[in-house]
Amino acid sequence: MNHLDHLNAPQREAVLTLSGPLLLLAGAGTGKTRVITYRMAELIRNGMDATRILSVTFTNKAAREMQHRIMELLGRGVKAKPHVSTFHALCVGILRQEIAALGYPLNFTIYDRGDQESAARTALRDIRIDAASLKPADLLNQISQWKMAGIRPAQAAEIAQSDMECIAASGYRKYQTNIKSCGAVDFDDLLLLTTQLFHEFPHVLKRQQGRFDTVQIDEYQDTNGVQFELIEQLVKQHGNICVVGDDDQSIYGWRGAELRHILNFQNIFPGTKVIRLEDNYRCTDQILALANRLVRHNRDRHDKQLRPHKFSRNSVRFGEFPDEQAEADNVVRDICHHIQSGKAKPGDFAILFRTNEQPRLFETELRRQHLPYVLVGTQSFFDRREVRDMLAYLRVIEQPQDEISLLRIINVPARGIGETTVEKILARAVQSRRSFWEVVPDAVAAGEVTKGAAAALASFRNLLQQFRDRFKARPRGMSDLVRSLIDAIKYEAEVEKQYKDPQQQLIRMSTLDELIDAIKEFEERTAAPSLAAFLDETTLAGKEHPGDKDAKMQQDGVKLMTLHSAKGLEFPHVYLVGMEEGLLPHKRSIDDSSSATAIEEERRLAYVGVTRARDFLTICRASTRMKWGKRRESVPSRFLHEMQPDKR
C-alpha cells in the first residue's frame, strides 16, 4: 500500500506539490494538519535536508504537535528535524543572534502585558499626560496596531491625525526609548525589529534567507502586515512558499490580521498553484449545509463549498426563549438530559458565546445542576501574582537592565525599600539619563536614601548577583535554584501576610510548585537549557495560551468559551447562544463606519462557531434581554435568516 493512499485526491496533489508558490485553501475539518505534515515528510523523502525546511504556525502547541507528527511519519531513525516554529519564536531566535546591530543587548528581556502597562504608565508620566487624557492600555493598543502594520515611532508622528493619535505618537516614541534603555522588547517588537534588521542590514537578511530552501505557513489568513513582510523577505530568493489557510475563518482583524494576504496571494506570488480542500470529515451534512449558506453571504472570499462525509437527520436545532434566564435553563437542562441518558459525558459539550458577559447565567445553572464545567479563556497561569513576582526575579537576574521587573520586586517581600526611596532614585535616574543602580551611590551620598534603605538596597543587589552567578554555573539545576530563591527571599511569609485563609496560602504556594515543575520539565527536554531560553519560552507561552486553555480542555466538564477561543477546536455537541443583533453580530460591528467589512468578520465568527460542531448543533436566542437595568426586546440575528434554505 502506498503511504499516500489514504489521502483524498486534493490532499494528495497538495502533498506532491513540492516547489513554487502554493496556496492551500483548507476549509474547516478538511485535514489540513495532516496534509502539511505529509508534505514536509514528502520533501524529505525527495532528498531535501530536513533542517532546510521552515514551517511556521501561530502557537507553540501547534508547533509541538506538528514536530511530533512529522517525526512519527519519518520514523525513529531520522535525527534531523524540520524547523517548526511560531512567528515569535522564529524571530526570537534571529534576534538572539543579530539584535546587537540595532543597539540592543543579546540577552534582551521580552516584556509581557503587565510589564508593557508599567512601561506605558512611565512613558505617559514622562510626557506629562494623565490617565484621564490617555489610559496606558489605550496607548498600548494603539502602539500595537502601529507595530503590527510596520509603523515605527517617527512614522506614527507623521501619520497621526487626531489629537489622541498625536499624544499616542509621543507616548510611543517615549515608550520605545524607555524599554530599549532597559534592554527590553515587547511581543510586537519581535517581528518589527526582525524586519528592521532585514531592511537595514542586507547581510543579515541574506544569512537568514540562506537557512531555508522552502517555507510553509499555517493559518495564513491570520497574518498581519509585519508577518507578511517577514515571510516575503525570507522567500524572495527561491519562491518556494506554501501557505495554508481559510479566508472563511479569518476572525482576528481586530488584532491586525489582514484578509487581503490570502485573498491576493496569487497576485503577490505569480505562478501560484491553488488547491482547495473541501471534503469535511468533522461535521454532519445538515451542519455543513447551514455553514455553507451562511458564509456565502460574504463577498470578500475565495469560492469554495464544504462537502460532508457524515450524514444525520436531526443534527441541527433552533431555539427561541422568552429571556436570557430561560435560554440558560433550557440549554443546561438539555445537556443534563444527554448526560443522564448515558450517551455523553460533560466534556462532549461546548456553550459558545460572543461576549465575556454572557456565561454568568450558564455557570449558575450548571452549578445548580451539579454539572462540572470549565470557563476557558480566563486568567492565565502566567498572570497569577506569585508567578509574575518570581518571573520578575528571574528576569532581573538574567537581565540587570530590566528596570520594569526590578521595580515590581524591589520591595516584594518587604525589605525596607519604600516607595519614597524608589521615587527619589528614579527621579535622579531620569534626570541624569542613567540606570537605577548607577545612581544609587549618588542618592545615598546626597542623603536622599536613609541608612536603613541603603543597606537594604546593597543587600538586595548582592542577593541578585549571587543568584546570577549560580544560574550561570548550574544551567541544569535551575528548578532547585528557584526553590532556593523562594526560600532566600522568604516568599512564603509574603504569601502568609497577603492571604489570611490557610487554604488560599496553600493554593498560592502550590502555584509556585507548578512553576518549579515547569522549569524542571524544560530542563529535561531541552538540549542546552538556560535561564534566558526558559524565560523566552515562558513569556511566549503566556502570550499564546490565555487562561491555560490546553490544560482546561483536558478537564471533563462542559466547556464555556467565546467564539474566538473556540477556533481550532471541535465538540460532539455545540450550543451557539445569544444569536441576536448586538451580540452576534456585535453592536460594535453594526455601529462601525466600515460596517460591511466588520459584519463580514462577525459572519465568519458565526461560521467558526457552527463548524465547531461534529454531531449536534443547537442555535438559540432570547426574545428579551436585560440591558442597562431594563428588559428590552431583542432582534433576531440577521445570520439566522441567512442560515435558512433558499425557498425559491
Side-chain angles (χ1 to χ4, degrees), residues 1-243:
M1 178 178 172
N2 187 289
H3 64 285
L4 302 181
D5 280 351
H6 54 289
L7 300 178
N8 63 38
Q11 289 175 335
R12 193 179 304 114
E13 183 183 5
V15 168
L16 295 174
T17 302
L18 303 180
S19 62
L22 171 63
L23 172 59
L24 192 55
L25 294 170
T30 57
K32 71 177 177 70
T33 305
R34 168 186 280 191
V35 170
I36 56 182
T37 308
Y38 270 66
R39 186 174 179 273
M40 281 193 286
E42 199 64 21
L43 283 163
I44 295 166
R45 285 193 181 103
N46 279 266
M48 183 172 287
D49 180 349
T51 62
R52 307 281 300 169
I53 299 171
L54 170 64
S55 188
V56 182
T57 70
F58 272 79
T59 67
N60 283 317
K61 177 176 179 280
R64 286 193 299 270
E65 286 178 356
M66 196 175 295
Q67 191 73 268
H68 177 71
R69 288 171 76 160
I70 186 72
M71 297 315 291
E72 276 189 336
L73 278 177
L74 294 172
R76 294 180 181 177
V78 178
K79 292 183 179 178
K81 299 178 182 178
H83 190 92
V84 184
S85 164
T86 64
F87 274 103
H88 288 96
L90 172 68
C91 291
V92 168
I94 293 170
L95 293 175
R96 288 290 178 207
Q97 300 169 3
E98 313 278 9
I99 200 172
L102 296 175
Y104 288 81
L106 291 177
N107 65 336
F108 60 86
T109 297
I110 305 171
Y111 277 175
D112 63 17
R113 180 70 183 189
D115 301 324
Q116 288 178 259
E117 288 182 357
S118 296
R121 275 192 294 274
T122 301
L124 289 170
R125 188 176 66 231
D126 289 347
I127 62 172
R128 294 181 171 80
I129 298 295
D130 59 35
S133 301
L134 183 63
K135 295 176 183 175
D138 293 335
L139 172 61
L140 286 179
N141 290 339
Q142 181 61 69
I143 290 173
S144 184
Q145 286 179 30
W146 278 327
K147 287 185 177 183
M148 286 188 292
I151 296 168
R152 293 172 175 81
Q155 295 168 287
E158 291 173 4
I159 65 170
Q161 295 181 341
S162 66
D163 290 346
M164 191 65 70
E165 286 178 350
C166 289
I167 294 171
S170 296
Y172 180 13
R173 187 186 305 110
K174 192 65 182 173
Y175 167 88
Q176 204 62 24
T177 300
N178 287 353
I179 68 171
K180 184 176 182 179
S181 69
C182 291
V185 302
D186 62 24
F187 283 104
D188 295 320
D189 281 334
L190 295 175
L191 277 67
L192 188 63
L193 293 177
T194 303
T195 58
Q196 185 180 343
L197 269 171
F198 288 175
H199 278 300
E200 296 180 7
F201 301 94
H203 66 282
V204 172
L205 173 59
K206 191 171 182 180
R207 182 158 53 237
Q208 296 302 323
Q209 285 174 332
R211 292 172 60 193
F212 306 109
D213 294 326
T214 189
V215 176
Q216 191 168 263
I217 314 293
D218 192 13
E219 303 287 5
Y220 190 68
Q221 77 279 352
D222 294 336
T223 51
N224 61 36
V226 179
Q227 289 164 336
F228 168 77
E229 185 181 348
L230 179 73
I231 293 305
E232 189 182 34
Q233 290 171 324
L234 278 178
V235 303
K236 195 171 286 184
Q237 282 190 330
H238 51 68
N240 293 323
I241 177 170
C242 167
V243 301

Side-chain angles (χ1 to χ4, degrees), residues 533-588:
F534 172 74
L535 290 171
D536 284 350
E537 183 176 292
T538 302
T539 309
L540 293 177
K543 175 71 170 179
E544 292 170 7
H545 301 296
D548 302 331
K549 182 175 173 181
D550 297 340
K552 289 184 175 182
M553 291 308 300
Q554 301 303 314
Q555 298 176 31
D556 182 28
V558 178
K559 305 302 186 293
L560 295 166
M561 63 177 71
T562 65
L563 288 160
H564 283 101
S565 295
K567 185 170 179 288
L569 303 174
E570 58 184 74
F571 305 89
H573 298 258
V574 166
Y575 295 81
L576 183 49
V577 302
M579 194 60 110
E580 301 146 33
E581 291 287 299
L583 282 179
L584 187 63
H586 194 277
K587 184 178 185 297
R588 280 196 305 269

